[in-house]
Amino acid sequence: MLTSKLEVLVDFGATADQKLVDKTLNELKSHDGVVEAVFKDGAIMVETNLPSTNILDMVTKTSGKRAVLQGFGETQSAVAMISSQSCCQSRVMGVIRFQQSTEGPLVADGSIDGLSSGLHGLHVHDTGDLSQGCNSIGGHYNPLGAPHGAPSDEVSSRHAGDLGNIVADETGRATFRIVDNVLKVMDIIGRSVAVTDKKDDLGRGSSPTSKIDGDSGKPVACGIIARSAGIFQNPKRICACDGVVVWDEKDRPLAGRGRRVEKKSCCQKDKENSGEFQRCCKV
């Protein structure tokens, strides 16, 4: 069983309630697929083979507190924030994290919202060029010049970037954890990852594009793959530039409109909350 280690930062406050911490840890440990869960340096470290989104949901529901994935993996890690890049009428957004041990397979762990229900192809593409949105990311990452195939195919019978299909439920969310023996994290940093509007036929179809892209259609969302922090490698709790704490940051854009709380500066008293400071100032 290939596991990953996750660092889950939870908004327990300045002094964590030990009973609440223990309750959260015990709930995690009660689930199959969770090997270990410990509270360390103000965060919960979880070793698991479950998707990180499932772990975050468990922590949030059990503790009643805000939680965010602060670190993923112990060694080589990367992340892609994907979106529809204004390419489509629908709004698709998500996060995909990549992690790899020194000599082990790659793990692609993600959650994407806004998809139509059903199967969608997932592929790593050649470039990280988003100048024309998802139209400028090139073809599938394919250093050996192989035909398109399935993740289970031999290296000579698939693109290195072929990650198969993910499944979106009736709400449009796809949560997944893919283990791949071909891709290497250090080879894909700076490239892009995309999800397509149709399912990937894995190179088994009769369409002329089956051996090119699995007849999976155009990307509906994409993003650049960037290096990211492993567990306990990122001490950030608050963004000094705008006062947004890490728990709130995950629900806001990286910059621009909507990033900060409108009409209130950090540490300004909130009249609607009996003169107390906004929570953005509490770390």
Side-chain angles (χ1 to χ4, degrees), residues 23-259:
K23 176 184 176 183
T24 305
L25 295 177
N26 290 334
E27 174 65 21
L28 287 168
K29 293 175 183 178
S30 70
H31 287 267
D32 291 338
V34 174
V35 176
E36 185 59 279
V38 297
F39 189 60
K40 175 184 176 183
D41 297 338
I44 295 177
M45 193 284 289
V46 184
E47 183 177 354
T48 181
N49 65 353
L50 299 176
S52 61
T53 299
N54 294 5
I55 298 297
L56 287 174
D57 286 345
M58 290 179 204
V59 171
T60 301
K61 290 176 181 177
T62 305
S63 68
K65 305 292 185 179
R66 294 175 293 171
V68 66
L69 187 60
Q70 181 85 338
F72 183 73
E74 293 183 279
T75 52
Q76 303 175 60
S77 300
V79 63
M81 308 288 290
I82 74 166
S83 70
S84 48
Q85 302 290 329
S86 301
C87 72
C88 320
Q89 293 182 347
S90 61
R91 186 63 173 161
V92 181
M93 298 184 69
V95 180
I96 304 175
R97 298 178 184 273
F98 302 90
Q99 186 267 328
Q100 189 166 32
S101 59
T102 305
E103 297 181 356
L106 173 143
V107 174
D109 176 290
S111 177
I112 303 174
D113 290 295
L115 297 167
S116 58
S117 61
L119 295 170
H120 298 267
L122 185 70
H123 314 104
V124 172
H125 286 249
D126 263 329
T127 75
D129 179 5
L130 298 182
S131 60
Q132 299 177 48
C134 298
N135 293 322
S136 51
I137 59 177
H140 296 176
Y141 175 49
N142 185 22
L144 299 182
H148 176 78
S152 58
D153 288 342
E154 297 293 329
V155 176
S156 59
S157 300
R158 57 164 279 190
H159 301 156
D162 292 342
L163 291 177
N165 289 296
I166 58 176
V167 184
D169 62 21
E170 63 278 1
T171 70
R173 165 167 282 199
T175 299
F176 54 91
R177 186 178 188 271
I178 298 169
V179 179
D180 189 80
N181 291 304
V182 173
L183 272 181
K184 305 295 181 185
V185 166
M186 298 310 294
D187 291 337
I188 63 175
I189 291 175
R191 302 186 190 278
S192 60
V193 60
V195 58
T196 59
D197 63 344
K198 298 193 300 182
K199 74 173 184 179
D200 186 334
D201 69 15
L202 309 180
R204 272 64 163 170
S206 58
S207 166
T209 61
S210 179
K211 291 295 185 181
I212 299 174
D213 61 8
D215 192 34
S216 56
K218 294 182 179 180
V220 293
C222 60
I224 298 172
I225 302 169
R227 187 163 186 163
S228 68
I231 59 172
F232 301 107
Q233 292 179 354
N234 181 10
K236 186 186 80 169
R237 297 292 186 271
I238 187 168
C239 179
C241 62
D242 52 23
V244 177
V245 294
V246 66
W247 300 287
D248 290 334
E249 189 176 41
K250 70 187 182 75
D251 297 321
R252 301 186 187 184
L254 296 177
R257 186 176 179 85
R259 168 72 179 173

